[in-house]
């Protein structure tokens, strides 16, 4: 039987790695390292640094996993994601077939936590569902959501309140849903916070969390939304890419 370990490595700081993640890494014969092109080179380097720092076991292999860009041509977002997932599934399956001999263990080092806005579990399940025999385990990691809250020293919820985790696209299209006071926004390519009615809303924003380039800003959305937008644009230009996450909260309650 082939075994696959889907290991959350935390969102940016190698110190976010858990003991369980380090132990799992040291069971792996081969690591599949996603290559998402130039803008994500920094993320690939972090994975390589993690291996260099935490692997006690000699003789492991690393194999680059070429990750295609999702097509931006279609206006049907769902269709383009489905087509992209089908491509990813093929690439993963071919890699597992050619690079993971029966009886060996492969690891995917997944950014943040594998259960949050990540396709690896879905892809591995889809490959298994088509009859490819493999067993797999999931090791949780510190997501950008937890990193954001800890770095700002802000709880995600006030007492007994729910928290929504959503995407920039949904927040931009649908707005801050009625009846909810706390929302964490991820995968925001378009500064969705600028589309939210800022009256009575506070924001805690973080970019490049856990890395030496980390930026943290917080305050009333009406006061600092524009400033965050400017900082975000300049940082994106300087680095060539950006990853940011933010918490929005309706204030005026204890
Ligand atoms: C594909 S999702 C992956 C989420 C990841 N699985 C997690 O648990 O954090 C990528 C999004 O996560 C957020 N993100 C991940 N790492 C981050 C970081 N270091 N700083 C800020 N946001 C981050 C951003 O919203 C980014 O668009």
């Amino acid at each position: 039987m082939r075994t696959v370990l889907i290991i959350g490595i935390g969102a940016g700081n190698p110190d976010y790695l858990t003991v369980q993640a380090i132990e799992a890494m040291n069971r792996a014969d081969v690591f599949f390292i996603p290559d998402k092109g130039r803008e994500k080179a920094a993320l690939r380097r972090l994975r390589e640094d993690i291996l260099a720092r935490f692997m006690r076991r000699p003789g492991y292999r690393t194999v680059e996993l070429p990750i295609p860009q999702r097509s931006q041509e279609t206006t049907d977002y769902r269709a383009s994601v489905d087509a992209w997932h089908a491509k990813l599934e093929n690439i993963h399956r071919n890699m597992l077939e050619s690079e993971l001999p029966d009886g060996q263990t492969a690891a995917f080092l997944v950014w943040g936590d594998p259960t949050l806005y990540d396709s690896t579990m879905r892809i591995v399940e889809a490959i298994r569902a088509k009859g490819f025999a493999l067993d797999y385990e999931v090791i949780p990691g510190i997501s950008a959501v937890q990193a954001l809250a800890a770095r700002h020293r802000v709880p995600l919820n006030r007492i007994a309140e729910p928290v929504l985790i959503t995407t920039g696209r949904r927040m931009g299209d649908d707005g801050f849903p009625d009846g909810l006071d706390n929302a964490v926004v991820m995968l925001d390519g378009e500064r969705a916070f600028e589309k939210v009615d800022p009256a009575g809303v506070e924001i805690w924003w973080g970019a490049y969390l856990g890395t030496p380039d980390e930026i943290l800003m917080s305050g009333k959305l009406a006061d600092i939304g524009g400033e965050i937008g400017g900082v975000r644009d300049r940082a994106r230009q300087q680095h060539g890419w950006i990853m940011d996450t933010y918490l929005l909260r309706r204030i005026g309650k204890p």
Side-chain angles (χ1 to χ4, degrees):
M1 179 68 93
R2 296 165 161 106
T3 303
V4 168
L5 304 172
I6 303 177
I7 304 174
I9 58 168
N13 186 336
D15 287 356
Y16 289 159
L17 224 67
T18 66
V19 174
Q20 190 186 25
I22 295 169
E23 295 304 320
M25 278 168 50
N26 278 282
R27 285 164 51 204
D29 301 291
V30 56
F31 290 85
F32 293 121
I33 308 281
D35 182 1
K36 294 185 184 176
R38 186 180 59 83
E39 64 177 8
K40 296 288 169 69
L43 309 190
R44 194 177 60 232
R45 259 199 311 280
L46 185 100
R47 287 187 175 86
E48 287 162 0
D49 290 349
I50 282 175
L51 287 178
R53 178 166 157 195
F54 294 107
M55 284 305 285
R56 304 179 300 263
R57 176 184 179 185
Y60 66 88
R61 313 188 303 284
T62 59
V63 174
E64 221 162 77
L65 200 59
I67 304 293
Q69 291 268 5
R70 185 171 62 77
S71 164
Q72 308 288 340
E73 274 162 28
T74 166
T75 48
D76 184 343
Y77 175 72
R78 190 65 228 196
S80 85
V81 169
D82 287 348
W84 185 55
H85 279 173
K87 266 193 211 160
L88 284 175
E89 190 186 316
N90 272 335
I91 292 168
H92 280 71
R93 191 194 163 109
N94 291 342
M95 265 315 165
L96 288 167
E97 248 164 8
S98 59
E99 299 287 348
L100 183 64
D102 201 21
Q104 289 207 351
T105 299
F108 292 99
L109 303 182
V110 173
W111 192 257
D113 182 80
T115 66
L116 189 60
Y117 293 127
D118 184 85
S119 305
T120 315
M121 285 167 66
R122 211 175 8 254
I123 289 167
V124 168
E125 264 302 336
I127 292 170
R128 258 161 60 102
K130 289 184 183 135
F132 189 92
L134 63 82
D135 195 12
Y136 77 102
E137 292 173 36
V138 179
I139 287 93
I142 298 198
S143 74
V145 180
Q146 294 153 294
L148 174 82
R151 293 295 292 135
H152 275 291
R153 301 185 299 184
V154 61
L156 293 172
N157 61 288
R158 288 168 299 193
I159 295 169
E161 288 182 348
V163 182
L164 171 73
I165 301 179
T166 189
T167 64
R169 178 179 294 267
R170 293 292 296 267
M171 185 55 83
D173 288 354
D174 306 345
F176 200 154
D178 288 340
L180 274 175
D181 287 334
N182 311 288
V184 176
V185 181
M186 305 177 80
L187 287 162
D188 184 0
E190 316 193 354
R191 311 199 317 194
F193 53 85
E194 291 182 346
K195 298 188 190 149
V196 171
D197 177 1
V201 174
E202 203 159 338
I203 182 167
W204 289 263
W205 179 79
Y208 314 105
L209 290 158
T211 76
D213 300 313
E214 180 177 270
I215 312 172
L216 300 171
M217 292 175 76
S218 62
K220 291 188 178 144
L221 185 56
D223 295 342
I224 67 156
E227 200 185 327
I228 291 176
V231 168
R232 187 182 192 279
D233 285 353
R234 285 192 293 282
R236 181 181 215 161
Q237 208 165 19
Q238 184 193 337
H239 295 281
W241 61 283
I242 191 161
M243 286 214 290
D244 60 337
T245 301
Y246 49 93
L247 169 67
L248 297 174
R249 170 167 297 150
R250 290 201 168 94
I251 47 181
K253 288 188 177 180

